[in-house]
Amino acid sequence: TQLLEQSPQFLSIQEGENLTVYCNSSSVFSSLQWYRQEPGEGPVLLVTVVTGGEVKKLKRLTFQFGDARKDSSLHITAAQPGDTGLYLCAGDRAGGTSYGKLTFGQGTILTVHP
Amino acid sequence: NAGVTQTPKFQVLKTGQSMTLQCAQDMNHEYMSWYRQDPGMGLRLIHYSVGAGITDQGEVPNGYNVSRSTTEDFPLRLLSAAPSQTSVYFCASSYYVLSTEAFFGQGTRLTVV
């Protein structure tokens, strides 16, 4: 069973549309990160959220951490073809030293058509 | 800055062969880790290290060995390759033990036939 459930797995939209990707768990996380990965490359960190209820904005991307620190969402406004890629959420479990043992969701493949 | 460097980028192995995937970072990061990425499964942790001389198992360690003799290098060894080890492998590093923000290499695409 996946500790972090990410949905949807695939998203195909037109340029200009809005979208939301969800990352849910029954476990509490000390922090949650969102990465973006392009074909042939490693994931690149977009943002880290650490406080329950926290909202962070990165241009047209809005990230939210749930109040109970068990879930997170990524919202993209007016998507552009350059947003196309694989989006991954990753969390480190609460309690004790994390030691970087990230748990990843399955990923969301986003395709934005011109 | 080179960041995290992985070699090779592509590799084909025959079942039963052994090989070492190389990973080096030039950011003086204490923490390094190896993940494998398979379709629909995200990234799964194989092994990790919190410093030179210290390694531990992750979620899917079977069939893999690691060592950490220096801060910079963290090689991953496949002892006897199996088709189930066909995957894309990523090495990552982090600044501090208490920070999990990972910097990834470009990956090694391994095919075992």
Side-chain angles (χ1 to χ4, degrees):
Chain A
T1 54
Q2 197 81 12
L3 188 60
L4 267 174
E5 294 290 338
Q6 196 171 331
S7 63
Q9 286 196 44
F10 302 94
L11 203 49
S12 180
I13 62 172
Q14 294 297 125
E15 183 176 1
E17 292 183 5
N18 301 331
L19 66 110
T20 302
V21 178
Y22 299 94
C23 187
N24 296 304
S25 177
S26 58
S27 299
V28 177
F29 291 95
S30 298
S31 69
L32 205 137
Q33 301 164 21
W34 287 91
Y35 291 82
R36 180 166 172 263
Q37 185 180 13
E38 299 196 30
E41 302 290 331
V44 175
L45 181 70
L46 295 173
V47 77
T48 300
V49 284
V50 297
T51 306
E54 182 177 4
V55 177
K56 281 191 174 179
K57 292 191 175 183
L58 188 65
K59 296 183 181 179
R60 294 176 293 100
L61 278 62
T62 301
F63 304 86
Q64 186 163 5
F65 202 12
D67 291 340
R69 292 186 292 141
K70 293 182 179 181
D71 55 85
S72 181
S73 64
L74 157 61
H75 182 80
I76 301 179
T77 303
Q80 299 178 0
D83 295 326
T84 293
L86 173 65
Y87 290 82
L88 294 157
C89 63
D92 69 88
R93 301 276 292 277
T97 305
S98 66
Y99 292 116
K101 294 177 71 173
L102 293 176
T103 298
F104 280 83
Q106 305 99 314
T108 296
I109 298 175
L110 171 64
T111 304
V112 182
H113 301 280
Chain B
N1 287 340
V4 179
T5 302
Q6 287 184 238
T7 56
K9 197 162 175 65
F10 301 95
Q11 183 70 51
V12 178
L13 286 179
K14 293 183 178 178
T15 297
Q17 287 185 318
S18 62
M19 78 158 295
T20 299
L21 307 185
Q22 302 291 343
C23 176
Q25 53 93 7
D26 62 358
M27 297 174 282
N28 201 32
H29 286 175
E30 297 171 346
Y31 181 88
M32 296 185 73
S33 55
W34 276 101
Y35 292 88
R36 60 177 289 172
Q37 186 174 36
D38 301 292
M41 300 189 73
L43 282 85
R44 292 181 292 170
L45 182 64
I46 303 172
H47 285 286
Y48 66 99
S49 169
V50 300
I54 306 170
T55 64
D56 205 348
Q57 297 180 351
E59 181 186 353
V60 287
N62 292 341
Y64 308 95
N65 272 359
V66 292
S67 60
R68 183 100 178 265
S69 56
T70 67
T71 300
E72 295 78 20
D73 300 299
F74 190 43
L76 177 72
R77 282 182 289 277
L78 278 70
L79 308 173
S80 177
S84 61
Q85 294 179 303
T86 293
S87 186
V88 182
Y89 291 85
F90 287 98
C91 178
S93 69
S94 304
Y95 273 113
Y96 306 109
V97 168
L98 294 181
S99 169
T100 59
E101 299 181 15
F103 294 78
F104 284 86
Q106 288 194 314
T108 296
R109 181 173 293 275
L110 175 68
T111 302
V112 183
V113 298

